[in-house]
């Protein structure tokens, strides 16, 4: 009799344990966890994007609406330019925020929305937060193609991201299945405040500088330098309109680069880099480590792979290397540099806007 009771008790305990494990497994399954995940049975997703003026325009579905978003490694959150792009705008709870971007302008006002669903080929994102900026003055069209917003870090934090500019193909791979290709250049990558940096050598007026560069797929130009990081002769014509950032116009100078070394690659000599004025970086944190920015005109010469998990940037040389960026070729159009520098919840939520902090 005693043995039967022990057997029944043991059976009940085993059944309880199995039920707990099954319940926990269901709760912890990818379908219930917020963030981006590959569909079941897939270890990577490969799909086409459109390359417009060195910017990567990706097809993304947000809350059921098909949108065109710029993939920007300098962006730490999804940014949507128009509230009409969010089908559930009216019924959603909105948190007011303010942030600064590159360019001469004041803070940008936006609304943070939570628990958004985002889809790409073989990838789903659940419980995603994004920011809607209804009054942003940044251009909403590029060569007739409508642009609905920008994003970047949420994918870089989840997948190995490979960009083939020449064939306009992007591949997002589960880190557990990623194997670097042979015969490629591997650079040490530092991720600081969600943004990727590499150290590179640049020669200006025969003087060599070892600088820390943001690798920014959201910048059109080949190279952008901080005026405080280099010594150079200012243009006799004074200053130039260099382009536009999220916060407004970019004014500054340009400088001739005698040599630029990216890993094993010496890029075209005697090309022009942009040098925005200091006030083009409003409210920038003194903790940032950027001496300059490597933009799309340089990156498109390679097949570029971002590996945040092993702190590596891989560069495979494209079949045909485009010519170096020339500033004169771009004078008739607007050079875009996308970047959110800082973000803070508004005073409505009891925050102090005088000292904004990075979003997410």
């Amino acid at each position: 009799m005693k043995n039967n009771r022990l057997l029944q008790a043991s059976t009940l305990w085993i059944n309880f344990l199995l039920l707990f494990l099954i319940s926990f497994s269901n709760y912890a399954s990818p379908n219930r966890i917020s963030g981006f995940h590959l569909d079941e049975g897939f270890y990577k997703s490969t799909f086409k994007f459109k390359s417009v003026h060195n910017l990567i325009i990706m097809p993304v579905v947000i809350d059921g609406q098909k949108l065109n978003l710029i993939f920007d490694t300098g962006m730490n959150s999804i940014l949507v330019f128009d509230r009409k792009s969010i089908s559930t705008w009216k019924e959603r709870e909105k948190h007011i925020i303010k942030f600064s971007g590159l360019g001469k302008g004041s803070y940008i006002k936006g609304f943070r929305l939570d628990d958004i669903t985002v889809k790409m080929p073989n990838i789903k994102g659940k419980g995603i937060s994004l920011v809607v900026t209804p009054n942003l003055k940044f251009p909403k069209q590029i060569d007739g193609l409508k642009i609905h917003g920008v994003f970047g870090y949420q994918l870089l934090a989840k997948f190995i991201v490979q960009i083939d500019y020449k064939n306009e193909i992007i591949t997002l791979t589960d880190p557990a299945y990623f194997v670097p290709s042979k015969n490629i250049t591997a650079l040490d990558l530092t991720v600081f405040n969600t943004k990727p940096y590499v150290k590179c050598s640049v020669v200006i007026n025969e003087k060599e500088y070892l600088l820390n560069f943001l690798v920014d797929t959201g910048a059109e130009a080949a190279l952008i330098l901080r005026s405080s990081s280099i010594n150079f002769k200012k243009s006799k014509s004074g200053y130039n309109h260099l382009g536009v950032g999220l916060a407004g116009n970019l004014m500054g100078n340009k400088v001739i680069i005698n040599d630029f070394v990216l890993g094993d690659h010496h890029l075209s000599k005697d090309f022009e880099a942009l040098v925005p004025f200091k006030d083009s970086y409003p409210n920038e944190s003194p903790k940032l480590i950027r001496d300059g920015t490597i933009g799309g005109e340089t990156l498109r010469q390679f097949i570029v792979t971002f590996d945040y998990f092993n702190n590596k940037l891989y560069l495979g040389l494209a079949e045909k290397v485009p010519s170096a960026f020339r500033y004169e070729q771009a004078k008739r159009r607007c050079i875009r540099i996308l970047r959110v520098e800082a973000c803070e919840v508004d005073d409505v939520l009891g925050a102090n806007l005088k000292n904004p902090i990075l979003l997410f």
Side-chain angles (χ1 to χ4, degrees):
M1 189 73 175
K2 186 176 180 180
N3 291 336
N4 289 336
R5 289 177 181 172
L6 289 174
L7 181 61
Q8 289 176 355
S10 299
T11 302
L12 287 172
W13 172 249
I14 291 172
N15 289 336
F16 173 77
L17 183 60
L18 288 173
L19 181 62
F20 172 78
L21 291 174
I22 291 170
S23 299
F24 180 80
S25 176
N26 289 335
Y27 178 79
S29 66
N31 292 328
R32 291 178 176 267
I33 299 175
S34 62
F36 285 98
H37 300 276
L38 286 159
D39 291 342
E40 188 175 352
F42 288 85
Y43 67 92
K44 69 177 180 179
S45 174
T46 299
F47 54 94
K48 297 282 289 185
F49 65 84
K50 292 183 180 179
S51 180
V52 183
H53 295 319
N54 303 326
L55 298 176
I56 299 164
I57 316 298
M58 293 175 51
V60 180
V61 178
I62 295 182
D63 269 7
Q65 293 207 89
K66 295 181 180 179
L67 306 178
N68 295 323
L69 300 187
I70 296 173
F71 178 69
D72 179 9
T73 53
M75 184 66 62
N76 48 14
S77 176
I78 297 178
L79 203 66
V80 176
F81 298 152
D82 191 346
R83 62 187 180 186
K84 293 180 180 178
S85 300
I86 307 298
S87 59
T88 56
W89 168 264
K90 290 184 179 180
E91 57 263 34
R92 285 191 174 275
E93 183 180 0
K94 305 165 187 69
H95 304 281
I96 299 175
I97 63 169
K98 288 186 178 181
F99 60 91
S100 63
L102 199 61
K104 294 183 66 175
S106 58
Y107 283 117
I108 304 165
K109 182 180 179 180
F111 301 89
R112 195 192 81 220
L113 307 182
D114 300 322
D115 201 23
I116 299 287
T117 298
V118 182
K119 294 182 180 180
M120 288 166 283
N122 301 319
I123 289 178
K124 290 185 179 67
K126 293 186 177 182
I128 305 299
S129 295
L130 56 76
V131 176
V132 180
T133 54
N135 301 316
L136 193 67
K137 296 180 180 180
F138 192 81
K140 307 301 192 304
Q141 285 195 5
I142 304 177
D143 281 3
L145 181 64
K146 190 168 183 178
I147 305 300
H148 301 94
V150 192
F151 79 134
Y153 176 70
Q154 282 108 323
L155 293 183
L156 292 161
K158 191 69 180 182
F159 307 106
I160 307 295
V161 179
Q162 184 181 83
I163 302 165
D164 183 343
Y165 280 87
K166 182 179 183 296
N167 296 302
E168 298 187 338
I169 293 175
I170 187 167
T171 301
L172 309 176
T173 305
D174 184 330
Y177 293 90
F178 176 72
V179 178
S181 301
K182 296 181 180 180
N183 301 321
I184 61 173
T185 300
L187 284 77
D188 290 330
L189 187 72
T190 299
V191 180
F192 181 77
N193 280 342
T194 76
K195 295 173 173 50
Y197 295 85
V198 294
K199 286 190 178 295
C200 296
S201 172
V202 59
V203 178
I204 302 172
N205 295 328
E206 308 307 322
K207 182 178 180 179
E208 184 176 7
Y209 301 85
L210 182 62
L211 303 178
N212 207 40
F213 285 93
L214 170 67
V215 186
D216 191 357
T217 60
E220 289 187 39
L223 205 64
I224 304 166
L225 295 168
R226 291 179 65 96
S227 58
S228 59
S229 298
I230 59 172
N231 294 318
F232 70 102
K233 294 181 179 179
K234 295 182 179 180
S235 172
K236 294 181 180 180
S237 59
Y239 59 87
N240 301 277
H241 178 250
L242 303 180
V244 63
L246 288 176
N249 291 323
L250 291 172
M251 308 301 292
N253 292 283
K254 49 188 177 178
V255 62
I256 297 297
I257 303 299
N258 305 126
D259 192 18
F260 179 60
V261 183
L262 185 59
D264 299 332
H265 306 281
H266 287 258
L267 302 188
S268 301
K269 293 185 177 182
D270 298 332
F271 67 94
E272 289 175 331
L274 310 182
V275 188
F277 291 144
K278 186 178 180 179
D279 59 4
S280 294
Y281 302 88
N283 311 301
E284 185 176 61
S285 169
K287 296 180 181 179
L288 293 183
I289 56 175
R290 179 174 59 249
D291 294 309
T293 298
I294 300 171
E297 182 65 26
T298 295
L299 296 174
R300 72 173 181 148
Q301 302 179 47
F302 304 93
I303 297 174
V304 184
T305 303
F306 293 89
D307 182 354
Y308 274 30
F309 302 86
N310 297 294
N311 295 106
K312 292 293 181 182
L313 177 72
Y314 299 105
L315 301 176
L317 197 60
E319 294 178 8
K320 184 178 180 180
V321 180
S323 59
F325 176 83
R326 299 296 298 178
Y327 182 76
E328 285 80 3
Q329 297 172 359
K331 279 185 176 179
R332 295 183 180 180
R333 62 180 177 85
C334 181
I335 300 301
R336 283 156 283 265
I337 305 171
L338 302 158
R339 190 177 307 134
V340 171
E341 296 295 348
C343 191
E344 176 61 279
V345 179
D346 201 303
D347 281 331
V348 172
L349 301 180
N352 180 8
L353 288 177
K354 294 182 180 179
N355 297 296
I357 58 174
L358 287 172
L359 175 66
F360 306 137

